[in-house]
Amino acid sequence: MRTAVLCGAATGVLCLSWILFLYLTNNNPYGLKRTLSDFFPPIAAIVSQILLRRYYANGPGLGRSIGVGLTTTLIGASLAAVGIYIFARVADPDLIRQHLTEAKQMLAAAKDMYLKQTNGRQQYEATLRNLAQTPQAFAQDEFVKKMLWGVVLSIPGGVFLRK
């Protein structure tokens, strides 16, 4: 548990640091560059599983190995979501409006690609409608993406790193 808390907390702080770095370098902290931090939780889950192997002579076993990876992911994703929520509440609301303007422009540029697909108009409208517009929506998006990547990689990592 200590390994999962340590790695998960470090990951959450790293994700928040990435958002603050984007903000301080005048990049869109809600934009596509933010998604680069989606890879931090799965890497932390694998690192925690590797660190867990040090504690056991014959390997930690499947349950412990997967458990530490999932716990690390859960803690990291939770802290990242809380961090972006607090950032979005504290930061200038114009940042969210600028992000929405940029995202809508990018979607408008890709509209032709959407319309070429079957049900393209519905997909385009759903994507436009599902853009995060509130701090809660950004936090939810952050949590879901980080959990998805973390779970996808920590289960096979746990299987391979169990012994």
Side-chain angles (χ1 to χ4, degrees), residues 105-124:
Q105 288 173 350
M106 288 174 46
L107 277 174
K111 188 174 184 178
D112 292 336
M113 290 181 2
Y114 277 100
L115 296 178
K116 289 178 184 176
Q117 300 173 3
T118 57
N119 295 329
R121 178 164 295 285
Q122 291 87 354
Q123 291 177 3
Y124 175 78

Side-chain angles (χ1 to χ4, degrees), residues 9-90:
T11 302
V13 169
L14 186 61
C15 291
L16 178 59
S17 299
W18 179 249
I19 291 169
L20 292 174
F21 172 75
L22 290 174
Y23 174 71
L24 294 173
T25 57
N26 293 323
N27 288 297
N28 182 357
Y30 305 115
L32 290 176
K33 291 180 183 177
R34 177 182 61 119
T35 60
L36 292 174
S37 70
D38 289 347
F39 298 106
F40 295 160
I43 292 169
I46 299 296
V47 167
S48 69
Q49 290 167 338
I50 291 170
L51 291 175
L52 184 69
R53 287 183 72 180
R54 292 181 170 182
Y55 297 122
Y56 297 96
N58 295 330
L62 183 61
R64 281 193 179 120
S65 186
I66 291 176
V68 76
L70 292 177
T71 306
T72 300
T73 300
L74 178 66
I75 292 169
S78 299
L79 289 176
V82 168
I84 197 165
Y85 175 77
I86 291 171
F87 175 79
R89 297 287 288 178
V90 172

